[in-house]
Every structure is written in structure tokens, then in C-alpha cells.
């Protein structure tokens, strides 16, 4: 794999195409097999009857919360938000009706940047002379520019896009010659951008933006690495899911970019289990984990440095749906069990929202605005969730939803006929644990002697 800096010239044009984003597994079968949801079932019938405190910015179009349907999920590539929540970026279709019909020949994709931290959200299109391929990746930076990775014949090119007058400016950063190159989530520093190039026996870690000389490989990591979760606010500690070169269980590891990409174990729930890290909150130490240690894939949670083991709540495994966390409430120092977690719930009727707290031990299933960019959103420190959406009435809007309060487990009963509604408690109440930061190499979440 090689990289070259591009000082002048233009990137090769690529033809427009279409990709499908893979869904997270969500089976409740002991074998770990993923079963498709029953088309006749509607897991949201009961949970969507609960009350929800939702509001929009005064300058935004009025929000109408509707029962989730399959049409609420837009068939566009992912919507990525900066770590500070100020900007977002996505690829969008010039003709949405062609994209929804699956007609790739009539779909012209272009990057779009959203500004989310102003008095009202607004979107800026960033089209160039040629349409983008749907397989390209975009990543917003804290200064408002958008990084785009494009596939070319012998590798990938990387450029920064920015609005300039009536058009779009482009700064070509360089190229990386490799088969696959995947951008990692936005760095907390807002300036740097990283990517992984996965080979058969090792994985290249690249600094693709924010460096002095264009794309640069900064480490060759043993094994096949994927995922990507930032563990701190400085953009130094990165968690990756690593599969050994010779095969074996996938384990989350921590990579210290301040020490030459030194790698240390992070999760070791069981010797033969696949233990992946999905989300982490640097303030409280709350970790959201997917593991098959219980016998099949389950969502679990733990606290970095806690004496308690990883727990797998029953309320996070409602029947016939897949549940994927995508945002954690920040700013809850030393209170990981009070953090509100936003989850995307995918079922036969489409996608809708779940809100859960470790201390509350119940999953609130809530409706979403029509056209929600499914799986995207950002929490405020006060527990208000901003959900971006785009539909026929508005191309750029944000719905604000206040996290529902958790009642005592004995005060809420599942409606008759719906004992598995997802609202049942997952276990007895326990006093909150205190996060005791320890070196990451000493932070496996099992093997402790303390009970709880």
C-alpha cells in the first residue's frame, strides 16, 4: 500500500452507483443466527402509545411525529456528525425519487453539509462537475469543510470540499493505493481524520487529513481491524475491533496514537467470545458492547475501570427487531448509569427510536419525525436529543426530543397481551458504581471478584 500527495490537478471522475449499508445483527436465537423479523408482527404497536416530549427550534418547520413506517428510512449513505455536534455531512441524491426506486442509472449523488449549532439548521450542497459514486465516504470537520474519499482504478483519492461563492471549492490531499480504505468516525480534535486499510494479515492505520504531507500511514496493526470508537476528548485513544491474523474471536483493543499506535487489550469477556465496542462516553466511562459471550449476540454495557462485570439487560433484546446504539448523553461525570442512550430500532415496519438508561432498566420506544436520517442524532448535556430529518416538506430540519423519565420498575406494567413489549425491567436495582480510571491494558470488564 502506498500514498502520494496531490498538489495540483483534479481527481478522476467516477460513475454514479448505489450501495446498501449493512445492518447490524440482532438475533435472539441461542445459535446466534440472524432471523428476519416476522412481517406480520408490529413490535411498536404498544410502545408507541407512550407520551413523548418533543419540540423543534422555533425557526424550523413544524414537527409531526407519526407512527414509524418503512418510508421513514432514507436509502441514502450514512449521515455523519462531528464529535462536537456542530456539523454533519452526507451524500444525497439529486433526484430522491430515483434513489427510492433503486434506479442507480438516474441517481446523481453529491455531498451535502449540515450546520447544526446555529439558531436553526441549514444544509449547503457541495456538488462538483461530476456526480459522486454512492460508495464514496464523506466526513465533516470542525471547521466546516468536508472530507471525501473516492474510489479510483488503483486506489482511493482524498479531498476537502468547502463552499466558495456560488460553487464548491476542492483541495486535493492525496491518494492511497490499496484495495479497501474506510474512514473512521470523526476525531474529537475536529481537525484530524483517520482511515483503515485492511489486509489479509494486518491493518494499516492512516492519517488522511490534518497531517503535514497528505495521507500518511502511521502504523501497521497486526490482525484485521474494524469499527472505531474514540475513548477520550483529545483524539488520542482509539478503540478498534481486532480479529487475529490466523482467525479467532474478535476482541476490542485500544490504540494509543500518542505512543506510536501502541495496542493494548480492552475487552476480554470470555476467551472464545466476540467482544466488540459500539459506543463510549469519555466523560462517564460508559461503554456499549456487543458480545456473544451469553451464547448469542447481545447488547451489553459496562464502565471503564469499574469493579462490576459487563451486564446484558433483557430490555435491550425486544423480539423481532434489531437494536443498535448510536449516541450517548455526554457530561455525566462519574454517573455512567444516568447517561441516556439513543438506539436505532429496526423492524418489519421500518426504523424508530429507543431511549434507555442503565439505571432505569427499561427501553422507551418512541416515534420519529418523518424522514428521520435513521441511526443519527446527538445528545446535549441536558438530555435533549437532536434528530436530523429530511422529507418532502423540508430538506433540512432537526427535531428536539427530551429523554423520557424512568419510573420505578413496579410502577409500570406491560399492557395486557404484550408481556414482551420491551418495557420490562432487566434486573434488580443496584447502587450506581463509581468509574475508577485505570490504564487501558488493565481494563477488562470481567475477572473481578466484586459481586453485583
Amino acid at each position: 500500500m502506498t500514498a502520494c500527495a496531490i498538489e495540483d490537478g483534479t481527481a478522476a471522475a467516477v460513475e454514479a452507483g448505489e450501495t446498501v449499508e449493512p445492518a447490524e445483527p440482532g438475533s435472539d436465537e441461542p445459535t446466534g443466527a440472524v432471523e428476519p423479523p416476522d412481517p406480520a408482527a408490529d413490535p411498536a404497536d404498544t410502545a408507541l402509545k407512550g407520551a413523548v416530549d418533543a419540540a423543534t427550534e422555533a425557526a424550523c418547520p413544524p414537527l409531526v411525529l407519526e407512527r414509524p413506517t418503512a418510508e421513514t428510512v432514507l436509502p441514502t449513505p450514512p449521515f455523519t456528525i462531528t464529535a462536537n455536534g456542530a456539523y454533519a455531512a452526507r451524500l444525497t441524491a439529486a433526484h430522491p425519487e430515483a434513489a427510492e426506486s433503486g434506479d442507480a442509472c438516474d441517481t446523481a449523488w453529491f455531498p451535502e453539509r449540515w450546520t447544526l449549532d446555529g439558531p436553526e439548521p441549514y444544509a449547503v450542497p457541495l456538488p462538483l462537475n461530476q456526480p459522486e459514486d454512492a460508495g464514496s465516504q464523506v466526513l465533516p470537520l470542525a471547521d466546516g469543510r468536508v472530507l471525501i474519499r473516492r474510489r479510483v482504478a488503483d486506489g482511493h483519492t482524498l479531498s476537502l470540499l468547502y463552499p466558495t461563492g456560488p460553487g464548491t471549492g476542492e483541495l486535493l490531499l492525496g491518494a492511497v493505493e490499496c484495495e479497501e480504505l474506510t474512514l473512521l468516525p470523526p476525531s474529537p480534535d475536529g481537525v484530524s481524520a483517520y482511515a483503515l486499510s485492511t489486509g489479509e494479515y494486518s491493518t494499516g492505520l492512516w492519517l488522511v487529513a490534518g497531517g503535514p504531507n497528505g495521507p500518511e500511514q502511521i502504523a501497521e496493526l497486526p490482525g484485521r481491524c474494524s469499527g472505531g470508537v474514540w475513548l477520550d476528548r483529545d483524539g488520542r485513544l482509539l478503540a478498534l475491533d481486532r480479529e487475529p491474523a490466523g482467525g479467532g474471536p474478535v476482541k476490542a483493543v485500544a490504540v494509543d496514537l500518542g505512543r506510536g499506535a501502541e495496542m493494548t487489550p480492552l475487552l476480554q469477556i470470555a476467551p472464545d467470545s466476540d467482544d466488540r465496542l459500539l459506543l463510549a462516553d469519555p466523560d462517564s466511562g460508559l461503554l456499549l458492547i456487543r458480545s456473544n459471550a451469553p451464547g448469542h449476540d447481545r447488547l451489553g454495557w459496562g464502565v471503564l475501570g469499574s469493579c462490576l462485570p459487563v451486564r446484558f439487560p433483557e430490555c435491550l433484546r425486544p423480539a423481532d427487531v434489531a437494536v443498535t446504539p448510536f449516541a450517548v448523553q455526554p457530561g455525566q461525570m462519574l454517573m455512567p448509569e444516568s447517561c441516556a442512550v439513543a438506539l436505532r430500532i429496526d423492524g418489519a415496519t421500518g426504523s424508530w427510536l429507543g431511549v434507555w438508561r442503565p439505571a432505569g432498566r427499561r427501553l422507551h420506544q418512541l416515534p420519529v419525525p418523518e424522514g428521520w436520517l435513521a441511526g443519527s442524532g446527538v445528545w446535549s448535556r441536558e438530555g435533549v436529543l437532536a434528530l436530523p430529518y429530511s422529507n418532502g416538506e423540508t430538506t433540512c430540519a432537526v427535531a428536539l426530543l427530551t429523554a423520557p423519565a424512568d419510573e420505578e420498575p413496579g410502577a409500570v406494567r406491560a399492557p395486557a397481551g404484550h408481556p414482551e413489549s420491551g418495557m420490562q425491567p432487566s434486573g434488580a436495582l443496584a447502587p450506581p458504581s463509581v468509574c475508577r480510571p485505570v490504564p487501558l491494558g488493565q481494563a477488562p470488564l470481567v475477572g473481578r471478584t466484586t459481586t453485583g
Side-chain angles (χ1 to χ4, degrees):
M1 294 175 285
T2 60
C4 60
I6 299 177
E7 298 180 355
D8 193 11
T10 58
V14 293
E15 296 182 356
E18 187 172 9
T19 60
V20 178
E21 184 184 0
E24 285 283 344
S27 171
D28 287 331
E29 295 296 323
T31 60
V34 178
E35 295 291 339
D38 183 2
D42 190 353
D45 279 344
T46 300
L48 292 180
K49 295 179 182 178
V52 54
D53 296 325
T56 56
E57 298 273 357
C60 292
L63 167 66
V64 178
L65 292 179
E66 298 182 354
R67 187 175 182 275
T69 63
E71 286 75 25
T72 62
V73 183
L74 298 185
T76 54
F79 185 86
T80 305
I81 305 175
T82 56
N84 63 1
Y87 293 100
R90 65 167 179 163
L91 287 180
T92 188
H95 303 288
E97 64 278 359
E100 291 178 7
S101 66
D103 190 352
C105 297
D106 295 332
T107 303
W109 300 95
F110 64 89
E112 184 179 70
R113 188 200 71 190
W114 287 37
T115 299
L116 302 175
D117 63 346
E120 63 176 288
Y122 65 92
V124 177
L126 298 172
L128 292 171
N129 295 331
Q130 296 289 335
E132 304 291 347
D133 188 276
S136 300
Q137 275 186 283
V138 292
L139 194 78
L141 302 181
D143 61 4
R145 295 184 294 178
V146 174
L147 175 69
I148 183 169
R149 175 202 58 78
R150 300 182 179 100
R151 176 77 190 194
V152 294
D154 55 353
H156 305 263
T157 62
L158 297 123
S159 300
L160 289 174
L161 306 179
Y162 53 93
T164 171
T168 301
E170 179 176 14
L171 175 63
L172 301 173
L173 299 178
V176 175
E177 296 181 3
C178 65
E179 183 64 26
E180 297 294 336
L181 187 71
T182 304
L183 297 180
L184 290 173
S187 172
D189 67 10
V191 177
S192 306
Y194 296 86
L196 297 178
S197 60
T198 304
E200 186 176 359
Y201 301 105
S202 64
T203 301
L205 177 61
W206 295 79
L207 175 64
V208 294
N213 302 311
E216 174 188 6
Q217 183 172 349
I218 59 177
E220 187 75 19
L221 305 175
R224 296 174 57 86
C225 297
S226 59
V229 176
W230 294 99
L231 299 173
D232 65 342
R233 295 290 182 194
D234 300 322
R236 171 176 171 171
L237 300 177
L238 174 66
L240 297 172
D241 300 326
R242 175 183 174 270
E243 179 185 0
V250 177
K251 301 290 183 182
V253 297
V255 178
D256 190 339
L257 302 180
R259 292 189 174 184
E262 180 182 31
M263 181 184 294
T264 55
L266 182 61
L267 291 178
Q268 298 283 346
I269 299 178
D272 298 326
S273 61
D274 294 325
D275 308 322
R276 294 178 170 88
L277 182 62
L278 305 182
L279 282 179
D281 175 49
D283 297 330
S284 64
L286 179 65
L287 305 178
L288 276 298
I289 298 155
R290 188 181 297 280
S291 174
N292 58 9
H296 54 280
D297 275 349
R298 293 279 300 274
L299 278 181
W301 69 279
V303 179
L304 191 63
S306 172
C307 296
L308 298 175
V310 171
R311 279 149 284 182
F312 298 90
E314 287 295 324
C315 65
L316 294 185
R317 51 176 301 194
D320 300 323
V321 297
V323 180
T324 306
F326 63 87
V328 181
Q329 179 185 359
Q332 309 303 298
M333 301 296 293
L334 300 180
M335 297 189 297
E337 294 191 343
S338 67
C339 293
V341 179
L343 306 104
R344 169 179 173 169
I345 304 177
D346 295 302
T349 58
S351 298
W352 60 97
L353 177 68
V355 175
W356 165 84
R357 296 181 185 87
R361 289 170 167 79
R362 60 188 71 251
L363 177 64
H364 302 271
Q365 298 188 44
L366 307 172
V368 292
E370 180 184 357
W372 175 45
L373 301 173
S376 62
V378 59
W379 286 102
S380 71
R381 291 174 177 263
E382 294 74 27
V384 176
L385 179 63
L387 296 174
Y389 66 97
S390 175
N391 54 39
E393 297 182 358
T394 176
T395 58
C396 174
V398 172
L400 302 180
L401 183 147
T402 301
D406 292 314
E407 301 181 42
E408 292 297 325
V412 177
R413 295 181 180 179
H418 297 83
E420 301 297 330
S421 64
M423 299 292 289
Q424 71 273 19
S426 62
L429 292 174
S433 60
V434 177
C435 174
R436 301 183 180 88
V438 298
L440 289 174
Q442 303 174 25
L445 302 177
V446 294
R448 311 291 189 177
T449 57
T450 302
T451 61

